[in-house]
Amino acid sequence: MSGKAYLVGAGPGRADLITVRGLTVLRQADVVLYDRLIAAALLDEAPAHAERIFVGKRPGHHAFRQDGINETLVRLVREGLQVVRLKGGDPGVFAHVAEEAAALAAAGLPFEIVPGVSSALAVPLYAGIPLTWRGVATAFTVVSGHEVTPHGCSGISWSLLAASPTVVVLMALGRLEQVCSALMAAGRNPDTPVALISRGATSQQATLRATLATLCDQQRLIQLPPPAVLVVGEVAALADRLAWYNPARSPGDAMLWEE
């Protein structure tokens, strides 16, 4: 059998948020290269014979560098294996799928990208926050917290970002103060409702509701743990009315960050 790579989005938090297609190819894998922010139960869905290789990244510690992941994918597919690259959320949203697909394409090897449920969409919904609201918020912007710094070279336009009805910041905790300060400096109202959602769609989910001006002080007191998604905009106020998910009644989610 010829080898092939499947670049699969595992969805956020819960194991059952993976797509049917993602689960299908996972159950046919010879090798699984997996990230840190996936439900550990998903690894049990791979065949017993499948090799499981952790390639996740933590701040300051990378099990593999990105070029090493690319090289490993190419090598394994050349060996004729069915390889699943399992990523948290959606593989096309801040998940390096372009680099991995480009390496496979350059080597002339077959691959398939399997979309996943992005944490940018699902985590706010698990906190009762739709990203759009008729007559209030008709657009949203998603940005990585790793890139947002008012003095960095990321090329982000703070004035455009501040004008977006809803702003979603993934990986938000590391530069939370810079994000809030930069949005207010660019003209966003300090009283804008915000929600910081920690470990969304798991049994450990917690949400901090505040305003753009008060969020950082409250987070210093509460210290919600990563990973976290920040939602800025009037839609964040809906969390008070639409919160439907009770983490205490959710089955325990063994997440790989706990290992």
Side-chain angles (χ1 to χ4, degrees), residues 174-204:
R175 293 186 177 135
L176 192 62
E177 291 192 24
Q178 292 97 319
V179 171
C180 293
S181 296
L183 286 172
M184 288 186 288
R188 195 66 179 240
N189 188 332
D191 294 328
T192 299
V194 302
L196 185 66
I197 309 152
S198 169
R199 297 188 170 180
T202 76
S203 58
Q204 301 174 56

mmCIF file of all heavy atoms in Angstrom, residues 174-204:
data_model
loop_
_atom_site.group_PDB
_atom_site.id
_atom_site.type_symbol
_atom_site.label_atom_id
_atom_site.label_comp_id
_atom_site.label_asym_id
_atom_site.label_seq_id
_atom_site.Cartn_x
_atom_site.Cartn_y
_atom_site.Cartn_z
ATOM 1 N N GLY A 174 -0.627 34.796 27.256
ATOM 2 C CA GLY A 174 0.759 35.252 27.316
ATOM 3 C C GLY A 174 0.943 36.744 27.151
ATOM 4 O O GLY A 174 1.852 37.326 27.744
ATOM 5 N N ARG A 175 0.062 37.395 26.354
ATOM 6 C CA ARG A 175 0.199 38.830 26.113
ATOM 7 C C ARG A 175 -1.135 39.535 26.340
ATOM 8 O O ARG A 175 -1.518 40.424 25.599
ATOM 9 C CB ARG A 175 0.697 39.072 24.682
ATOM 10 C CG ARG A 175 2.130 38.560 24.484
ATOM 11 C CD ARG A 175 2.684 38.912 23.126
ATOM 12 N NE ARG A 175 4.069 38.473 23.031
ATOM 13 C CZ ARG A 175 4.573 37.837 21.995
ATOM 14 N NH1 ARG A 175 3.795 37.536 20.967
ATOM 15 N NH2 ARG A 175 5.829 37.479 21.971
ATOM 16 N N LEU A 176 -1.814 39.121 27.391
ATOM 17 C CA LEU A 176 -3.152 39.652 27.653
ATOM 18 C C LEU A 176 -3.128 41.153 27.876
ATOM 19 O O LEU A 176 -3.959 41.895 27.354
ATOM 20 C CB LEU A 176 -3.753 38.943 28.876
ATOM 21 C CG LEU A 176 -5.244 39.170 29.136
ATOM 22 C CD1 LEU A 176 -6.079 38.654 27.976
ATOM 23 C CD2 LEU A 176 -5.647 38.479 30.440
ATOM 24 N N GLU A 177 -2.174 41.648 28.645
ATOM 25 C CA GLU A 177 -2.110 43.087 28.936
ATOM 26 C C GLU A 177 -1.821 43.880 27.669
ATOM 27 O O GLU A 177 -2.413 44.950 27.451
ATOM 28 C CB GLU A 177 -1.056 43.363 30.009
ATOM 29 C CG GLU A 177 -1.447 42.823 31.373
ATOM 30 C CD GLU A 177 -0.540 43.348 32.476
ATOM 31 O OE1 GLU A 177 0.072 44.421 32.290
ATOM 32 O OE2 GLU A 177 -0.452 42.686 33.523
ATOM 33 N N GLN A 178 -0.912 43.372 26.835
ATOM 34 C CA GLN A 178 -0.601 44.082 25.598
ATOM 35 C C GLN A 178 -1.813 44.147 24.673
ATOM 36 O O GLN A 178 -2.064 45.165 24.025
ATOM 37 C CB GLN A 178 0.563 43.397 24.869
ATOM 38 C CG GLN A 178 1.903 43.503 25.595
ATOM 39 C CD GLN A 178 2.193 42.268 26.420
ATOM 40 O OE1 GLN A 178 1.296 41.726 27.064
ATOM 41 N NE2 GLN A 178 3.441 41.836 26.390
ATOM 42 N N VAL A 179 -2.565 43.055 24.606
ATOM 43 C CA VAL A 179 -3.741 43.020 23.748
ATOM 44 C C VAL A 179 -4.764 44.054 24.193
ATOM 45 O O VAL A 179 -5.250 44.867 23.398
ATOM 46 C CB VAL A 179 -4.376 41.615 23.756
ATOM 47 C CG1 VAL A 179 -5.722 41.630 23.041
ATOM 48 C CG2 VAL A 179 -3.455 40.605 23.093
ATOM 49 N N CYS A 180 -5.083 44.033 25.489
ATOM 50 C CA CYS A 180 -6.094 44.962 26.003
ATOM 51 C C CYS A 180 -5.644 46.410 25.849
ATOM 52 O O CYS A 180 -6.424 47.277 25.420
ATOM 53 C CB CYS A 180 -6.396 44.645 27.467
ATOM 54 S SG CYS A 180 -7.209 43.049 27.711
ATOM 55 N N SER A 181 -4.401 46.686 26.187
ATOM 56 C CA SER A 181 -3.884 48.049 26.096
ATOM 57 C C SER A 181 -3.870 48.542 24.653
ATOM 58 O O SER A 181 -4.240 49.683 24.369
ATOM 59 C CB SER A 181 -2.476 48.122 26.689
ATOM 60 O OG SER A 181 -2.494 47.825 28.063
ATOM 61 N N ALA A 182 -3.438 47.681 23.739
ATOM 62 C CA ALA A 182 -3.346 48.088 22.340
ATOM 63 C C ALA A 182 -4.727 48.341 21.743
ATOM 64 O O ALA A 182 -4.912 49.277 20.962
ATOM 65 C CB ALA A 182 -2.600 47.031 21.539
ATOM 66 N N LEU A 183 -5.714 47.520 22.089
ATOM 67 C CA LEU A 183 -7.063 47.742 21.575
ATOM 68 C C LEU A 183 -7.635 49.068 22.083
ATOM 69 O O LEU A 183 -8.247 49.821 21.326
ATOM 70 C CB LEU A 183 -7.974 46.577 21.978
ATOM 71 C CG LEU A 183 -7.757 45.267 21.223
ATOM 72 C CD1 LEU A 183 -8.590 44.152 21.850
ATOM 73 C CD2 LEU A 183 -8.118 45.425 19.752
ATOM 74 N N MET A 184 -7.421 49.362 23.364
ATOM 75 C CA MET A 184 -7.925 50.627 23.903
ATOM 76 C C MET A 184 -7.180 51.809 23.310
ATOM 77 O O MET A 184 -7.788 52.838 22.978
ATOM 78 C CB MET A 184 -7.820 50.619 25.433
ATOM 79 C CG MET A 184 -8.832 49.687 26.096
ATOM 80 S SD MET A 184 -8.860 49.792 27.917
ATOM 81 C CE MET A 184 -7.299 48.970 28.316
ATOM 82 N N ALA A 185 -5.872 51.680 23.115
ATOM 83 C CA ALA A 185 -5.099 52.768 22.515
ATOM 84 C C ALA A 185 -5.527 53.034 21.082
ATOM 85 O O ALA A 185 -5.423 54.163 20.593
ATOM 86 C CB ALA A 185 -3.610 52.423 22.562
ATOM 87 N N ALA A 186 -6.047 51.981 20.410
ATOM 88 C CA ALA A 186 -6.500 52.124 19.024
ATOM 89 C C ALA A 186 -7.943 52.587 18.934
ATOM 90 O O ALA A 186 -8.479 52.703 17.837
ATOM 91 C CB ALA A 186 -6.337 50.804 18.285
ATOM 92 N N GLY A 187 -8.569 52.853 20.080
ATOM 93 C CA GLY A 187 -9.897 53.437 20.064
ATOM 94 C C GLY A 187 -11.035 52.570 20.565
ATOM 95 O O GLY A 187 -12.180 53.025 20.603
ATOM 96 N N ARG A 188 -10.748 51.337 20.972
ATOM 97 C CA ARG A 188 -11.831 50.497 21.476
ATOM 98 C C ARG A 188 -12.268 50.994 22.854
ATOM 99 O O ARG A 188 -11.444 51.312 23.713
ATOM 100 C CB ARG A 188 -11.384 49.034 21.576
ATOM 101 C CG ARG A 188 -12.548 48.041 21.733
ATOM 102 C CD ARG A 188 -13.409 48.023 20.494
ATOM 103 N NE ARG A 188 -14.520 47.082 20.598
ATOM 104 C CZ ARG A 188 -14.700 46.057 19.777
ATOM 105 N NH1 ARG A 188 -13.857 45.865 18.779
ATOM 106 N NH2 ARG A 188 -15.718 45.257 19.926
ATOM 107 N N ASN A 189 -13.569 51.070 23.072
ATOM 108 C CA ASN A 189 -14.126 51.567 24.330
ATOM 109 C C ASN A 189 -13.665 50.699 25.497
ATOM 110 O O ASN A 189 -13.835 49.472 25.462
ATOM 111 C CB ASN A 189 -15.655 51.558 24.245
ATOM 112 C CG ASN A 189 -16.320 52.245 25.421
ATOM 113 O OD1 ASN A 189 -15.792 52.298 26.515
ATOM 114 N ND2 ASN A 189 -17.521 52.750 25.191
ATOM 115 N N PRO A 190 -13.090 51.278 26.545
ATOM 116 C CA PRO A 190 -12.643 50.478 27.696
ATOM 117 C C PRO A 190 -13.769 49.695 28.356
ATOM 118 O O PRO A 190 -13.511 48.698 29.045
ATOM 119 C CB PRO A 190 -12.069 51.525 28.652
ATOM 120 C CG PRO A 190 -11.700 52.684 27.777
ATOM 121 C CD PRO A 190 -12.723 52.707 26.695
ATOM 122 N N ASP A 191 -15.025 50.134 28.169
ATOM 123 C CA ASP A 191 -16.161 49.437 28.769
ATOM 124 C C ASP A 191 -16.698 48.300 27.908
ATOM 125 O O ASP A 191 -17.716 47.685 28.255
ATOM 126 C CB ASP A 191 -17.288 50.432 29.054
ATOM 127 C CG ASP A 191 -16.917 51.451 30.128
ATOM 128 O OD1 ASP A 191 -16.147 51.082 31.035
ATOM 129 O OD2 ASP A 191 -17.392 52.596 30.045
ATOM 130 N N THR A 192 -16.020 47.991 26.820
ATOM 131 C CA THR A 192 -16.458 46.896 25.959
ATOM 132 C C THR A 192 -16.480 45.587 26.745
ATOM 133 O O THR A 192 -15.502 45.241 27.416
ATOM 134 C CB THR A 192 -15.507 46.742 24.761
ATOM 135 O OG1 THR A 192 -15.510 47.938 23.991
ATOM 136 C CG2 THR A 192 -15.929 45.577 23.883
ATOM 137 N N PRO A 193 -17.574 44.822 26.677
ATOM 138 C CA PRO A 193 -17.607 43.524 27.360
ATOM 139 C C PRO A 193 -16.574 42.563 26.781
ATOM 140 O O PRO A 193 -16.325 42.546 25.569
ATOM 141 C CB PRO A 193 -19.020 43.011 27.090
ATOM 142 C CG PRO A 193 -19.816 44.218 26.725
ATOM 143 C CD PRO A 193 -18.855 45.142 26.035
ATOM 144 N N VAL A 194 -15.959 41.776 27.655
ATOM 145 C CA VAL A 194 -15.009 40.748 27.224
ATOM 146 C C VAL A 194 -15.267 39.477 28.023
ATOM 147 O O VAL A 194 -15.855 39.510 29.105
ATOM 148 C CB VAL A 194 -13.535 41.187 27.410
ATOM 149 C CG1 VAL A 194 -13.241 42.464 26.642
ATOM 150 C CG2 VAL A 194 -13.202 41.365 28.884
ATOM 151 N N ALA A 195 -14.808 38.378 27.467
ATOM 152 C CA ALA A 195 -14.878 37.097 28.175
ATOM 153 C C ALA A 195 -13.581 36.347 27.929
ATOM 154 O O ALA A 195 -13.123 36.243 26.789
ATOM 155 C CB ALA A 195 -16.070 36.277 27.700
ATOM 156 N N LEU A 196 -12.977 35.846 28.989
ATOM 157 C CA LEU A 196 -11.780 35.020 28.901
ATOM 158 C C LEU A 196 -12.201 33.599 29.282
ATOM 159 O O LEU A 196 -12.645 33.360 30.399
ATOM 160 C CB LEU A 196 -10.700 35.540 29.845
ATOM 161 C CG LEU A 196 -9.337 34.845 29.773
ATOM 162 C CD1 LEU A 196 -8.673 35.105 28.416
ATOM 163 C CD2 LEU A 196 -8.425 35.322 30.905
ATOM 164 N N ILE A 197 -12.063 32.680 28.333
ATOM 165 C CA ILE A 197 -12.560 31.313 28.510
ATOM 166 C C ILE A 197 -11.372 30.362 28.588
ATOM 167 O O ILE A 197 -10.609 30.224 27.630
ATOM 168 C CB ILE A 197 -13.485 30.914 27.355
ATOM 169 C CG1 ILE A 197 -14.558 31.975 27.141
ATOM 170 C CG2 ILE A 197 -14.129 29.553 27.621
ATOM 171 C CD1 ILE A 197 -15.059 32.050 25.713
ATOM 172 N N SER A 198 -11.219 29.726 29.723
ATOM 173 C CA SER A 198 -10.088 28.839 29.971
ATOM 174 C C SER A 198 -10.502 27.388 29.777
ATOM 175 O O SER A 198 -11.561 26.960 30.229
ATOM 176 C CB SER A 198 -9.588 29.047 31.410
ATOM 177 O OG SER A 198 -8.668 28.052 31.800
ATOM 178 N N ARG A 199 -9.673 26.629 29.086
ATOM 179 C CA ARG A 199 -9.872 25.192 28.884
ATOM 180 C C ARG A 199 -11.289 24.882 28.405
ATOM 181 O O ARG A 199 -12.003 24.056 28.963
ATOM 182 C CB ARG A 199 -9.522 24.418 30.152
ATOM 183 C CG ARG A 199 -8.053 24.591 30.503
ATOM 184 C CD ARG A 199 -7.560 23.738 31.624
ATOM 185 N NE ARG A 199 -6.091 23.816 31.694
ATOM 186 C CZ ARG A 199 -5.340 23.173 32.579
ATOM 187 N NH1 ARG A 199 -5.917 22.399 33.476
ATOM 188 N NH2 ARG A 199 -4.038 23.292 32.561
ATOM 189 N N GLY A 200 -11.670 25.600 27.348
ATOM 190 C CA GLY A 200 -13.023 25.507 26.833
ATOM 191 C C GLY A 200 -13.385 24.132 26.312
ATOM 192 O O GLY A 200 -12.538 23.375 25.838
ATOM 193 N N ALA A 201 -14.653 23.796 26.425
ATOM 194 C CA ALA A 201 -15.227 22.537 25.952
ATOM 195 C C ALA A 201 -14.635 21.328 26.669
ATOM 196 O O ALA A 201 -14.575 20.235 26.111
ATOM 197 C CB ALA A 201 -15.071 22.396 24.444
ATOM 198 N N THR A 202 -14.180 21.514 27.900
ATOM 199 C CA THR A 202 -13.726 20.408 28.733
ATOM 200 C C THR A 202 -14.430 20.491 30.079
ATOM 201 O O THR A 202 -15.127 21.458 30.384
ATOM 202 C CB THR A 202 -12.206 20.445 28.987
ATOM 203 O OG1 THR A 202 -11.896 21.463 29.964
ATOM 204 C CG2 THR A 202 -11.428 20.727 27.710
ATOM 205 N N SER A 203 -14.221 19.497 30.917
ATOM 206 C CA SER A 203 -14.813 19.494 32.249
ATOM 207 C C SER A 203 -14.155 20.521 33.165
ATOM 208 O O SER A 203 -14.610 20.733 34.287
ATOM 209 C CB SER A 203 -14.694 18.107 32.874
ATOM 210 O OG SER A 203 -13.335 17.710 32.935
ATOM 211 N N GLN A 204 -13.083 21.163 32.691
ATOM 212 C CA GLN A 204 -12.395 22.190 33.477
ATOM 213 C C GLN A 204 -12.657 23.601 32.957
ATOM 214 O O GLN A 204 -11.974 24.549 33.360
ATOM 215 C CB GLN A 204 -10.890 21.913 33.466
ATOM 216 C CG GLN A 204 -10.516 20.552 34.029
ATOM 217 C CD GLN A 204 -9.043 20.275 33.860
ATOM 218 O OE1 GLN A 204 -8.190 21.024 34.302
ATOM 219 N NE2 GLN A 204 -8.722 19.178 33.186
#
